[in-house]
Amino acid sequence: EQLQSADVIVDAVLGTGFSGDVRPPLDCVIRAINAAGQSKVVAIDLPSGLDCDSGRPCNATVKAGLTITFVAPKIGFLEQGAGAFTGKVHVADIGAPVKLIRQVLGAQTGD
């Protein structure tokens, strides 16, 4: 009921280390967040339940209208269907050195 009347819902339930299925009671929390409406949900780093590498949702995955992620978009955000969960993606600068970011991204893409 409180989620329905909220102006903004911040999703920071699960992070990048999550894998598998969302278990109770968190699966119910995610379903309640989604029932409140995607346009009011802001995910921090990635939507809870979305695999950051594959872009695949699990059994309960937040549908955000906006995802504020750090340093660079997660690789999984580029996969088909991931945008339905991330909504608009904004990359926040947290001070990571550009050289390091390029090295990491290059290692992930094989460049």
Side-chain angles (χ1 to χ4, degrees):
E1 189 175 293
Q2 290 177 337
L3 290 176
Q4 293 291 331
S5 63
D7 292 328
V8 176
I9 299 168
V10 177
D11 164 40
V13 177
L14 300 169
T16 59
F18 170 78
S19 64
D21 283 337
V22 180
R23 296 185 306 251
L26 296 181
D27 60 339
C28 293
V29 171
I30 289 173
R31 287 187 182 95
I33 289 170
N34 288 342
Q38 186 171 9
S39 65
K40 61 170 77 176
V41 179
V42 178
I44 303 302
D45 207 22
L46 78 158
S48 293
L50 186 71
D51 185 292
C52 67
D53 294 324
S54 71
R56 279 182 248 140
C58 69
N59 63 315
T61 303
V62 167
K63 293 181 179 178
L66 171 66
T67 297
I68 300 172
T69 195
F70 307 116
V71 181
K74 308 297 181 256
I75 292 172
F77 291 3
L78 303 174
E79 297 299 323
Q80 185 175 356
F85 297 93
T86 63
K88 181 180 177 185
V89 175
H90 174 78
V91 178
D93 179 7
I94 59 170
V98 174
K99 183 177 178 180
L100 177 62
I101 295 168
R102 287 189 179 133
Q103 285 176 335
V104 170
L105 291 176
Q108 291 175 348
T109 61
D111 293 340

